[in-house]
Every structure is written in structure tokens, then in C-alpha cells.
Amino acid sequence: MFGLSAQAQSWVTPAVCEVDTPRIDAHVLSAERLDALRSEAAKIPNAVGNFWRITAPDGAVSHVWGTMHSSDRHVLTLPDIVIDEITRARLLAIEADYTAESRAELARLNDPEGWFREYNGRDPVSYESLGIPAAITEALNARLEAASWGRDAQDLLTFGGLLEAVWADPCEDFANGVLPIQDARIQMLAHIAGVPTKGLEPPDRFLRRVNHPDATELARALLMMTGSYLEETNAATLQADRSTFFALYLAGEHALLERWDRAEIIARFGSEGGQRIYNTSMDYLLSERNHDFLAAIRDDLHQGGVFMAIGASHLSGRNGIVELMRRDGFEVTRIKLERER
């Protein structure tokens, strides 16, 4: 909907965002650091693998695929076996379904109440009271300007609205509304095949959750973490980071990506502060939502024929969706893909 501002983040161009061949860049992750992160990741349940078969107690079969929310061509290129399971599924389950089935639902999806303070009828805690460092605020303001919201939009937006405004990868600005992210491509393939879609959470759940009066600590943690991702870097670093990130995703190493992310947050905010920011964010983004995802799809998994497409970071860990399904009585086995480790 919005174009990229020439004044802010102007160095982020399509050429900078383009990754020729995904590979682990030694300047981003040295061999020593990569080994250390892999050693940490190996301790996490279900650390590797983007594609899993789910077998219900009575033998009904479904699948879960770990997505990446990106429109990069390497990410959009899905394995044939994954496409086959999408198109022959009985039901596609995705994190949230943003299509509307009625005019009334469309009006709810476009309701500004969750986005703007002036509409929500409350006097929320001010942005300034969160005590966010100036460097993080500047990174958030630059992103708001790049997305055409204006540098002072945080005074108008709710915390949920502010996060929604700055959440997307700046590299996605150039393809917004033209190329789908991988999740949307999966939904498109299912739609073409006549497979119905079920959202695992309401489209406005994030806004409502972060805007809750008791969620100030969560909002602060998410803004701190998001701002750190957006802090000024340079073209070469961004491209090397993207290449490394894509290579690890395509290798199925989602737990390693989580350990890398955690290490960067701790390095930025210190051991105590960084761990608190990361834990607060992930307790909601992953753990809380994984439990809700399973509750929403449990009955359908018992029927079988479900293709579940959720962010790859949701797969691993004690509270990852794979472990939760196993504890719920399902057999979950990895389907190893050619490019995976």
C-alpha cells in the first residue's frame, strides 16, 4: 500500500535485497561460531527439518510445513513433495486467514480501532513511558518513514498498530501487493486446487493481544527486538545476513536460527536485559500461540488430510508444535528433504 521513502532506509534497494545463491557467509557466521550455535541447537528437540508427517492415533495422516514469511524467489521455490501435499489436502491450516467471507468481516478487518489511539476509546500508556533507547526509537522512526507513516506516527498508533507498521522486512516493500510471501503462495496453491483454508488464530489477534492494558511489557519487548533488527547497517552486511539466513532455512536448521537470533538480542541488550526481552517476546510469539494453534486444529488432525503451514520457528523446542502434538497423542515424524542437513 505504501511506497519506500527516499529519505529513510533509501540504501535498502531491490539489488541489495537480491540473493543470488543462498550460502552461509563466513563474515556473518564464522566456522567457530556456526559450530557453537549448532551445538546449542542440537540440545533443542526437533532442531532440524521443515516438513513433518502427523499421524493420528487411528492412523489419519496430516502434514506440517515450516514456512518463512518472505517473497524471496529461493523461499517461494517449494519442493515438489510439499506442493503435492498442499494440493491434495482436505484442509489448509495457516497462522491467520486474511481473506474475508462477507462485507461485515471485511469491515472488521479494516477497522482502525486496533491501529489508532483516537479510535480505541482508551488512553494507553504513552510510547515515551516505555523507556526505549534513542537508537531503537530512531530505527523504528526510520522504518515508519520508509513505510510512509511518518516519523512521529508512534504518537498516533497503538502499540499493536506501531508493531504492525514496522514489522515487515524492508526488503518486502518492493514486492508488496505483487509477489506473495511463501505463506500466501501456499494459500494460493491450495485455493487453485479447491482446498479450503482455516486460520489458526483471528487476523486481529496480534493487535488485540499487544493492545491489552496488561501487555505493556510484551509491547516494549517486541518493540525493542524489532527496533534492533532495523538498526542501521549497510548493503553488504544486509545481503550477507539474508544469504546466510536463507541458507540455514533451506537446510531446515530453524533451531539454529533461533539460537542465532537469541545471541544477537543478548549481544545488543546485555545478558539480563536481552534474555528478558527475548523470553518475553517468544513466550507469546511462539509458546502461547503454539498451544492455541494446536487447540484450533486438534479435531481436524484427528480427521486427517490437513496441511498445516506455520512459521518454521514454531516447530522446534519443548513447546514447539511438534512436541505439543506428540504430547497430545499424535505420532510426528520428519520428512527429510534433499537440501536439508
Side-chain angles (χ1 to χ4, degrees):
M1 182 167 62
F2 300 112
L4 184 68
S5 166
Q7 288 73 42
Q9 296 176 346
S10 58
W11 60 271
V12 180
T13 66
V16 168
C17 296
E18 175 67 20
V19 172
D20 184 20
T21 302
R23 64 179 183 84
I24 298 173
D25 192 303
H27 294 95
V28 175
L29 290 179
S30 66
E32 182 180 6
R33 190 176 184 208
L34 186 61
D35 287 344
L37 288 172
R38 279 199 174 120
S39 179
E40 286 186 42
K43 301 172 186 175
I44 298 174
N46 315 304
V48 181
N50 287 332
F51 196 33
W52 300 75
R53 179 181 292 106
I54 309 162
T55 307
D58 66 356
V61 174
S62 297
H63 295 84
V64 60
W65 166 256
T67 70
M68 180 184 284
H69 310 319
S70 170
S71 65
D72 182 87
R73 59 192 175 92
H74 302 289
V75 175
L76 289 179
T77 304
L78 296 167
D80 289 342
I81 187 175
V82 172
I83 294 175
D84 288 344
E85 294 299 343
I86 293 168
T87 56
R88 65 167 155 238
R90 177 184 63 84
L91 177 70
L92 172 69
I94 57 176
E95 291 185 28
D97 183 5
Y98 292 93
T99 60
E101 295 185 357
S102 67
R103 289 289 173 184
E105 185 179 357
L106 185 61
R108 286 196 299 273
L109 290 174
N110 293 325
D111 188 347
E113 180 177 345
W115 282 75
F116 296 99
R117 296 186 184 191
E118 63 183 292
Y119 284 95
N120 66 15
R122 289 183 282 114
D123 183 20
V125 177
S126 68
Y127 175 84
E128 292 75 15
S129 70
L130 296 179
I132 292 177
I136 298 297
T137 294
E138 173 56 30
L140 294 171
N141 287 345
R143 181 69 189 123
L144 286 168
E145 186 176 15
S148 296
W149 284 94
R151 294 179 63 84
D152 298 324
Q154 75 270 21
D155 296 327
L156 304 174
L157 296 166
T158 62
F159 293 149
L162 175 57
L163 280 160
E164 290 274 19
V166 300
W167 200 264
D169 177 356
C171 286
E172 292 300 319
D173 291 348
F174 306 102
N176 185 32
V178 180
L179 298 178
I181 62 171
Q182 190 199 88
D183 310 65
R185 186 191 175 214
I186 289 170
Q187 186 171 5
M188 179 190 71
L189 290 171
H191 173 70
I192 292 170
V195 178
T197 296
K198 177 175 183 174
L200 297 172
E201 64 182 9
D204 64 346
R205 188 203 179 201
F206 178 81
L207 279 170
R208 290 189 288 105
R209 180 70 173 81
V210 178
N211 285 342
H212 192 278
D214 296 334
T216 302
E217 183 179 355
L218 172 61
R220 182 181 188 277
L222 290 171
L223 286 165
M224 292 280 278
M225 188 169 68
T226 304
S228 73
Y229 297 152
L230 296 169
E231 284 185 295
E232 190 72 18
T233 181
N234 58 63
T237 299
L238 176 63
Q239 194 166 65
D241 282 346
R242 286 173 66 80
S243 179
T244 301
F245 196 90
F246 292 151
L248 291 171
Y249 168 73
L250 294 171
E253 297 192 77
H254 43 79
L256 192 158
L257 286 171
E258 184 271 331
R259 291 290 91 179
W260 180 20
D261 191 26
R262 174 180 173 273
E264 292 295 312
I265 296 298
I266 289 174
R268 174 63 179 84
F269 297 112
S271 179
E272 182 178 346
Q275 190 68 65
R276 183 170 59 252
I277 288 168
Y278 196 72
N279 287 348
T280 300
S281 299
M282 295 307 157
D283 282 351
Y284 162 62
L285 291 176
L286 299 183
S287 183
E288 179 181 322
R289 293 174 70 224
N290 281 343
H291 283 87
D292 291 345
F293 287 171
L294 182 54
I297 201 64
R298 180 181 288 112
D299 291 345
D300 290 299
L301 291 176
H302 279 290
Q303 293 181 51
V306 176
F307 188 96
M308 189 175 179
I310 57 177
S313 57
H314 290 275
L315 299 175
S316 59
R318 291 185 301 104
N319 288 312
I321 199 71
V322 172
E323 280 301 292
L324 292 183
M325 287 191 291
R326 285 176 177 156
R327 293 204 292 267
D328 213 38
F330 295 94
E331 178 185 342
V332 189
T333 55
R334 179 187 173 192
I335 302 172
K336 189 176 185 299
L337 302 174
E338 183 179 351
R339 296 189 63 170
E340 292 187 341
R341 186 176 172 83

